[in-house]
C-alpha cells in the first residue's frame, strides 16, 4: 500500500473514534440532564403535595415527560431555590 492509503486509513480511524467519543459524551450528558431535570421538577412541581393515582406507570411516565419538557426551566429555578435555601 502507498503512504496515501495508510494515511487515509488513519484519518478514517480518527473520524470513527471521534464520532464514537461524541456519541458517548452525548449519552453521558443526556443521562445527567435527565437526572437533574427529574430532581428539579420534583423539587418545584411535586414538593409538598400528595398525588393519588391508580396507575403507577401513567404517573411516572407523566413525571418523566414533564421533566424532559420543562427541565430547561425547572433546573435553574431549583438551583436558585436550593442556593437561597427556600424549601
Amino acid at each position: 500500500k502507498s503512504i496515501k492509503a495508510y494515511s487515509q486509513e488513519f484519518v478514517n480511524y480518527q473520524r470513527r473514534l471521534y464520532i464514537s467519543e461524541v456519541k458517548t459524551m452525548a449519552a453521558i450528558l443526556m443521562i445527567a440532564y435527565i437526572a437533574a431535570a427529574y430532581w428539579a421538577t420534583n423539587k418545584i412541581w411535586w414538593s409538598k403535595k400528595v398525588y393519588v393515582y391508580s396507575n403507577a406507570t401513567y404517573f411516572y411516565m407523566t413525571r418523566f415527560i414533564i421533566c424532559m419538557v420543562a427541565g430547561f426551566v425547572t433546573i435553574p429555578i431549583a438551583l436558585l431555590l436550593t442556593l437561597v435555601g427556600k424549601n
Side-chain angles (χ1 to χ4, degrees):
K1 288 185 176 180
S2 68
I3 301 265
K4 186 175 183 180
Y6 281 116
S7 65
Q8 187 61 38
E9 285 180 18
F10 182 69
V11 168
N12 289 339
Y13 171 75
Q14 285 182 325
R15 285 181 184 156
R16 284 193 309 269
L17 185 62
Y18 177 74
I19 291 171
S20 173
E21 289 174 354
V22 168
K23 287 180 180 179
T24 302
M25 183 58 84
I28 290 170
L29 290 174
M30 188 61 156
I31 291 170
Y33 170 76
I34 290 170
Y38 197 79
W39 166 78
T41 308
N42 282 335
K43 185 163 185 65
I44 293 172
W45 196 304
W46 286 288
S47 63
K48 301 178 185 171
K49 295 180 183 105
V50 175
Y51 290 91
V52 178
Y53 281 88
S54 60
N55 188 349
T57 304
Y58 174 77
F59 176 66
Y60 286 109
M61 285 307 295
T62 303
R63 288 175 77 163
F64 180 74
I65 291 169
I66 290 172
C67 88
M68 291 299 292
V69 171
F72 292 107
V73 176
T74 59
I75 291 172
I77 294 171
L79 287 174
L80 287 174
L81 288 175
T82 302
L83 292 175
V84 172
K86 183 178 180 184
N87 291 331

